[in-house]
Amino acid sequence: MEPINIYALTRIADTACLERLERQMSKRKKYLKIKSWEVEGLRAFCRKLGNVMEDAAELDFYYSFVMPKLGKEFDLLRMNDEYVVNVELKSGDVSDETIQRQLLQNRYYLATLGKNMYFYTFISGSDRLIRLSNSGRLIEADWEELAKVLEKQEACYTGHIEELFMEDQYLISPLTDPARFLRQEYFLTSQQRDIRKQILKNIRQSSNTQNSTKSRSIPNSSTQISNRQEAAKQENQIVIQGFTGLPGTGKTLLLYDIAMQLSQRAYVCVLHLGAHTKELEQLDERLKRIDFYYRDNLEQMESKRKYSAIFVDEGHRLDAAELDEILRLSKEWDVPVIFSYDLEDILSRDGQKLFGAALIEEIPGFVGFHLTNRIRLNKELSTFIRCALCYTAGNHLKEYPSVSLAYAADGEEAGILLRKFQKEGYVYV
């Protein structure tokens, strides 16, 4: 996607023609649906800026840019080597809290660029121009101020803006980059944020219901019977939730992010069923309100302390006995459980039945979510794996420079080949 001249774009009255011109100017792959109020907002912005800036009609902006993978959208964006200017367009009345929240979020996402940043919101219906201060407060701004900022910025970056937002800058895993995770230098996709919001909402509602039940008085025997009935219902109100998705959809990041949020109020525990890595030890040491456990020390979970929530990473590796123990602790402590698990980890259908994914989804009252956006995906490796599994749909690459293929007739030969590849720099997972 490339920047466009919004003054030239808004000279067209017909919306369909305007959308075709926008695609031709921006070089985006698909047509952008532009609503009439958005066009009016752009025209009003050009008019107001033109009143105070002689060269306003010559300015190019990235219009309606969406960050790759994350789905975060910016109305108007302009940048060069030193400065970033972001303007959000609104037509009707919007609360200051909403404007502030959006601009702070924009600043959070654009911080990876490492440039001086200016954030504005223009409300065309009420003719307000608002700026976000360095301290995060909203300030009434004037157009002369914005014009000076744009004049200082001079030329605009004209390349493909997606190249400025490489995935490794904002997509991390707590298991491979714990330092950045601890500094919270990561972003969630809109889908991850929606799932997090729903999971926390379910936990909050369950907690409120249980507190309401416990706070009721018991004046007579008939009330005691009613209370026991409600207590029986309450056993089924413990929230058991989870989410699944293909590798690369950010399950572990989402799980650990939710654990971080809940640990602000009370201790939580994470049961990690994958490899016991040094990175996890670093997280365990730094996160004082989160205790990490592994398959080989699961029995120690009960003896240390009572937790407010139980998190299970790579839940598809659970067996029935381990799952029963987790559910027992959840019931005993009266706390929610959140699973992340992979339905695709076991290739064999028979193998899937023996592992935890099916067991988790069969829990009575289980609430499940499905992550579909693959945010960490190597096209070459993904295509090769699909081809190797005889998956015929989709495009096939002709070359796979990152792939080495070998065949072993038995375990001994496999070990010899693994040692060979490890010496060449490959990492055995």
Side-chain angles (χ1 to χ4, degrees):
M1 179 180 174
E2 297 178 3
I4 65 173
N5 185 290
I6 58 174
Y7 179 84
L9 178 70
T10 53
R11 299 311 95 190
I12 298 178
D14 184 85
T15 303
C17 293
L18 185 145
E19 290 176 354
R20 288 197 292 270
L21 176 61
E22 193 284 330
R23 184 184 181 188
Q24 188 274 331
M25 295 170 70
S26 67
K27 304 294 191 297
R28 70 173 78 237
K29 295 180 180 179
K30 298 180 180 180
Y31 285 107
L32 179 68
K33 298 298 293 183
I34 305 176
K35 299 177 182 178
S36 58
W37 68 263
E38 294 175 321
V39 179
E40 291 304 318
L42 282 172
R43 288 182 181 141
F45 177 79
C46 292
R47 183 171 59 254
K48 299 290 290 187
L49 193 59
N51 291 338
V52 297
M53 187 176 182
E54 182 178 353
D55 300 328
E58 300 176 14
L59 296 176
D60 291 340
F61 291 85
Y62 290 93
Y63 173 56
S64 192
F65 167 66
V66 179
M67 290 180 72
K69 306 294 185 182
L70 294 182
K72 171 60 183 172
E73 183 178 6
F74 303 89
D75 288 345
L76 293 176
L77 204 57
R78 199 171 191 274
M79 63 192 69
N80 64 0
D81 292 340
E82 298 182 49
Y83 301 100
V84 175
V85 179
N86 166 228
V87 181
E88 294 297 319
L89 304 175
K90 309 293 181 185
S91 59
D93 290 334
V94 184
S95 69
D96 285 359
E97 291 78 9
T98 300
I99 294 172
Q100 183 182 38
R101 184 166 57 251
Q102 182 183 33
L103 294 183
L104 285 172
Q105 188 181 67
N106 290 3
R107 184 170 71 178
Y108 172 71
Y109 278 90
L110 294 172
T112 56
L113 295 175
K115 304 177 187 294
N116 297 313
M117 298 183 292
Y118 299 88
F119 298 91
Y120 294 86
T121 293
F122 171 50
I123 308 174
S124 56
S126 56
D127 194 20
R128 289 181 69 197
L129 183 66
I130 306 171
R131 177 173 64 86
L132 183 73
S133 71
N134 291 334
S135 61
R137 296 184 298 108
L138 293 184
I139 299 174
E140 297 291 335
D142 56 56
W143 291 93
E144 289 81 1
E145 172 191 330
L146 176 57
K148 290 179 181 179
V149 170
L150 293 171
E151 288 171 351
K152 182 170 60 175
Q153 189 182 37
E154 297 179 346
C156 176
Y157 174 77
T158 58
H160 295 286
I161 191 172
E162 294 85 356
E163 296 176 357
L164 301 179
F165 296 91
M166 302 304 292
E167 295 177 15
D168 59 356
Q169 294 181 4
Y170 51 83
L171 299 177
I172 69 168
S173 168
L175 305 183
T176 58
D177 203 341
R180 290 184 63 190
F181 175 76
L182 290 167
R183 294 194 299 268
Q184 299 187 35
E185 295 178 359
Y186 62 88
F187 305 125
L188 299 181
T189 66
S190 56
Q191 186 182 47
Q192 287 173 314
R193 293 195 301 271
D194 289 342
I195 292 176
R196 178 184 64 181
K197 181 179 179 181
Q198 190 59 53
I199 286 176
L200 294 174
K201 178 182 177 182
N202 292 340
I203 292 174
R204 184 170 59 253
Q205 290 178 342
S206 175
S207 176
N208 291 339
T209 300
Q210 292 174 13
N211 291 336
S212 175
T213 301
K214 293 175 182 178
S215 64
R216 294 175 186 172
S217 61
I218 308 177
N220 54 49
S221 59
S222 61
T223 307
Q224 289 180 358
I225 295 173
S226 175
N227 192 65
R228 284 198 298 269
Q229 291 173 341
E230 291 194 6
K233 292 180 181 179
Q234 185 180 321
E235 290 184 4
N236 297 324
Q237 290 172 352
I238 298 174
V239 180
I240 309 296
Q241 303 180 93
F243 43 86
T244 185
L246 293 170
T249 50
K251 299 185 294 295
T252 296
L253 178 60
L254 177 58
L255 186 81
Y256 284 42
D257 177 81
I258 298 174
M260 287 264 283
Q261 291 216 16
L262 292 182
S263 70
Q264 294 176 7
R265 295 179 296 178
Y267 284 94
V268 303
C269 64
V270 174
L271 173 61
H272 180 77
L273 296 169
H276 184 171
T277 63
K278 292 182 179 179
E279 288 81 3
L280 277 174
E281 293 175 358
Q282 182 178 342
L283 291 176
D284 197 7
E285 180 181 351
R286 294 281 299 279
L287 298 172
K288 300 302 182 183
R289 287 181 174 266
I290 303 178
D291 292 333
F292 288 81
Y293 295 90
Y294 312 90
R295 173 170 268 127
D296 57 2
N297 67 346
L298 173 60
E299 69 280 355
Q300 300 175 15
M301 186 184 297
E302 185 175 14
S303 61
K304 188 167 185 178
R305 60 170 58 93
K306 177 181 175 181
Y307 296 100
S308 63
I310 301 172
F311 293 84
V312 182
D313 192 14
E314 299 196 33
H316 52 277
R317 300 177 184 271
L318 283 169
D319 60 32
E322 292 166 337
L323 180 59
D324 287 343
E325 175 63 12
I326 291 169
L327 296 180
R328 183 188 70 79
L329 292 174
S330 169
K331 183 177 179 181
E332 179 181 323
W333 295 337
D334 197 18
V335 298
V337 184
I338 300 96
F339 295 93
S340 74
Y341 60 100
D342 190 347
L343 284 174
E344 302 286 333
D345 192 65
I346 304 300
L347 297 181
S348 163
R349 290 185 179 273
D350 293 334
Q352 286 185 355
K353 295 177 183 178
L354 300 176
F355 284 77
L359 297 174
I360 291 170
E361 295 185 347
E362 290 172 359
I363 298 172
F366 173 74
V367 179
F369 303 91
H370 196 174
L371 285 161
T372 57
N373 298 330
R374 304 189 72 170
I375 54 179
R376 282 184 294 274
L377 177 64
N378 183 292
K379 182 178 180 181
E380 177 190 344
L381 295 180
S382 175
T383 305
F384 176 81
I385 291 170
R386 283 187 289 139
C387 293
L389 295 176
C390 301
Y391 185 76
T392 57
N395 297 324
H396 293 176
L397 302 177
K398 294 182 180 180
E399 297 181 356
Y400 301 90
S402 302
V403 176
S404 295
L405 184 63
Y407 171 78
D410 53 38
E412 181 180 356
E413 292 181 3
I416 294 172
L417 290 170
L418 283 173
R419 288 191 292 273
K420 165 191 175 297
F421 286 123
Q422 285 178 300
K423 289 181 179 179
E424 295 176 1
Y426 288 84
V427 177
Y428 175 57
V429 180

